[in-house]
Amino acid sequence: MGSSKPKAFTDEERNLLMLLAGQAAIVIEYARLYEEVNKRLAEQKMLYDMAQRLASATDVSSLTQYVVNYLTQSFKAKFGSLRLLDETGTILLTGAFYGTTDEYTKIANENVQMTMDPATPGGQSPAALAIREKRAQYVEDIRKSRKFAVWRDFAGMGGYTSLICVPLIPVDEPIGVLSLYFARTRRFQREELASLQTAVRTAAIAIQRAVLDERLIREEVTRRALEEVSHLKTEFVSLVSHELRTPLTAIQGYVKLLLAGHTGELNEIQTEFLNTVSRNTDRLVALVSDLLDISRIESGRLELVMEPLDLRQVVENEIELLRASADDKQITIVVDFEENLPKVKADSHRLGQIISNLLSNAIKYSREQSTVKITANQMGKNVLVKVIDSGIGISPEERPRLFQRFYRSEDQRVRSQGGTGLGLAITRYLVEMHGGKIWVESEKGQGSTFSFTISALPTETK
């Protein structure tokens, strides 16, 4: 209140003025508080609306696009972007953009993979720094920023002055970054920054959930596809092997009849040719049998007929079948069983197959005039069987792969012997189907010991 003439205020006037000033201050404070409350309500509404939308969206693409659209508009930015880290956490991939110029979008898409390496321009960006430091990076005026000087030209091209980059951290580690760009200098108040960070954290949780869901779906689709391929492969192998087995068995039988002289006497050349046919037919029959066994095992169609068995008798039967192979190399087979060894519970044919595979390998890879030994001892509720040879041995690098299907050693001495690479894989499957374990101990050039366990039957009490 003013006057052109000097005049002293009365006490009553001064009191009135003080009252009016107090009332005005109260009104101003109420207005400020009202404005502040409206801001907080607007922020809460923004978070609520965003949370509702995020809860209903399920795929990463639509989530990232919605988040960048909504937050760019809510904070009145010129444009915004959202990038996600790849699975290694070293590359920022293009996620979603809102409000960018065609030129800016083109450049961003050309740099679809932005490295996090600090030695590169991409790794020196505010977005990369926000992720590395796990906190928001705010640049009020990039034209004056020394820290991000390399990005001034890019800012001029994009037409922005201020920017803020907030890392998406759902729990502990960042999964990406939201960047908002402003045409004019923009200052963020503390409450405003807190609101943005809360919104980004909410978005990060939803995006992480969607990323995990999509990954699980991809893995499930891949798993089912692999299972289908494996099933088709097993069925194919089974069908082809079965179709081959019948004519091969017939050929094998007829060749043996010819060699036995049932169709007349053979000359030396005919005998030699037929022996070659017989050997190769035997190899093909063995291969087909192995393929059939593998397909039955993998498809769960191989059934065991478990019964009490005398292990010594099973071993003696298999040795008799392999006697000719051992005699050809003047190899002695020694059987050393513990006295009063209990019977074992096993499938007679498949236990014989296990022992035959291990003994035939021992004979095949042992030196001439050497010894192959098979031992058996009770070990708790099991019987421990060992097949010991003094052959070429197995290197430490090859031992872990020895029981894999189709694995053949790179050693030329092994490859020269022929084989399918299925025998030991089948042996492992059969031992495990009996509830046992199989392993090998070996050193290159010092022979091998193959050991397996089989369930022992309780000794009958008198």
Side-chain angles (χ1 to χ4, degrees), residues 374-394:
I374 180 166
T375 68
N377 299 86
Q378 187 167 5
M379 189 180 69
K381 296 181 179 180
N382 296 311
V383 170
L384 174 64
V385 182
K386 294 185 177 183
V387 176
I388 308 162
D389 67 56
S390 54
I392 61 178
I394 304 157

Side-chain angles (χ1 to χ4, degrees), residues 11-68:
D11 289 342
E12 184 178 353
E13 288 174 329
R14 280 198 296 272
N15 289 337
L16 177 61
L17 287 171
M18 289 178 65
L19 178 62
L20 289 173
Q23 292 294 325
I26 292 171
V27 169
I28 292 170
E29 180 63 15
Y30 279 169
R32 189 190 66 79
L33 290 173
Y34 178 76
E35 184 179 357
E36 192 68 25
V37 168
N38 279 341
K39 281 183 179 179
R40 298 288 84 78
L41 287 173
E43 289 170 3
Q44 292 301 315
K45 184 178 185 304
M46 176 196 73
L47 292 173
Y48 176 79
D49 291 344
M50 192 176 78
Q52 289 288 100
R53 178 64 183 271
L54 292 177
S56 62
T58 55
D59 64 287
V60 176
S61 179
S62 63
L63 272 173
T64 54
Q65 192 62 61
Y66 169 75
V67 169
V68 72

